[in-house]
Amino acid sequence: NIKEVKKTGDGEVNVEIDVGGKMETIENCNTVLMAIGRRPKTDIALDLASVELTPRGHIKVDEFQNTTADKIYALGDVCGVAELTPVAIATGRKLAHRLFEPKPQMKQDWDLIPTVVFSHPPIGTCGITEEEAKKKYGEENIKTYRSAFTNMYHAMTERKTKTVMKLVCLLPTEQVIGL
């Protein structure tokens, strides 16, 4: 938890944070990005229908969007996974295919969802991290590629913001599983 942000004499900031009851200071920051998160609106007596919640208040679902109650399904932000509107729409379509068509194994693939943080510079990801890939597939089966360059947008400007990329690939085919 951030407790205090103090401006220094040189225009930077020092951030005091509480880490499990221990105060720590991060010094000489030029930017502080704080994600506050959201809480799901699930205090609607779901327990009366035998729908269980996670400790953070999200509805518990399995990989097929089934809740803990028979014939009750949940998807989207209320489940606490990939809280993005296009993901909720895709998950809903897959649920509809599974329920109303002969596609009993249709389910959302959570591994290749692109996300972005509209910061300066912007940050974008897709797939799993290098750390997650090594844990899932073994370190010997992962190859990473790194690159840094000035993108075309900034090539003709005085501001030469670098683009930094890392591809996480699965051997032996070098399929990209993370960006």
Side-chain angles (χ1 to χ4, degrees):
N1 293 330
I2 294 178
K3 294 298 180 185
E4 188 173 13
V5 178
K6 292 181 187 176
K7 202 167 212 175
T8 64
D10 58 2
E12 294 185 333
V13 295
N14 294 339
V15 182
E16 287 189 30
I17 57 174
D18 181 349
V19 181
K22 181 182 173 199
M23 294 304 292
E24 294 184 15
T25 301
I26 303 170
E27 297 180 340
N28 304 320
C29 302
N30 57 18
T31 303
V32 176
L33 176 64
M34 183 172 153
I36 60 170
R38 302 176 293 190
R39 289 196 174 105
K41 181 72 174 152
T42 53
D43 56 348
I44 55 172
L46 291 169
D47 57 322
L48 297 176
S50 300
V51 174
E52 293 178 21
L53 303 178
T54 69
R56 296 192 68 188
H58 294 96
I59 296 175
K60 282 186 183 178
V61 292
D62 65 11
E63 62 185 331
F64 294 102
Q65 305 313 123
N66 298 305
T67 67
T68 52
D70 190 40
K71 300 201 185 310
I72 297 179
Y73 310 95
L75 56 91
D77 293 6
V78 76
C79 299
V81 180
E83 298 177 8
L84 301 163
T85 301
V87 176
I89 292 167
T91 305
R93 286 181 177 149
K94 287 175 174 57
L95 176 62
H97 286 304
R98 189 167 58 77
L99 295 176
F100 303 111
E101 295 178 9
K103 297 182 178 182
Q105 296 305 311
M106 182 72 77
K107 63 182 179 180
Q108 181 65 46
D109 177 2
W110 301 102
D111 285 343
L112 293 174
I113 297 172
T115 60
V116 67
V117 176
F118 295 103
S119 58
H120 296 284
I123 301 166
T125 66
C126 186
I128 60 178
T129 67
E130 181 179 2
E131 199 172 83
E132 291 168 332
K134 287 177 178 177
K135 186 175 179 183
K136 185 174 183 176
Y137 298 108
E139 191 168 345
E140 68 281 359
N141 295 312
I142 300 301
K143 181 170 178 124
T144 58
Y145 295 93
R146 290 176 173 80
S147 180
F149 55 90
T150 301
N151 64 49
M152 291 297 287
Y153 180 79
H154 292 291
M156 303 303 282
T157 66
E158 288 184 28
R159 184 175 153 204
K160 303 290 185 200
T161 302
K162 289 280 186 197
T163 296
V164 180
M165 296 183 89
K166 177 167 65 169
L167 293 178
V168 181
C169 301
L170 180 61
L171 297 173
T173 62
E174 295 196 13
Q175 173 188 356
V176 177
I177 56 175
L179 172 71

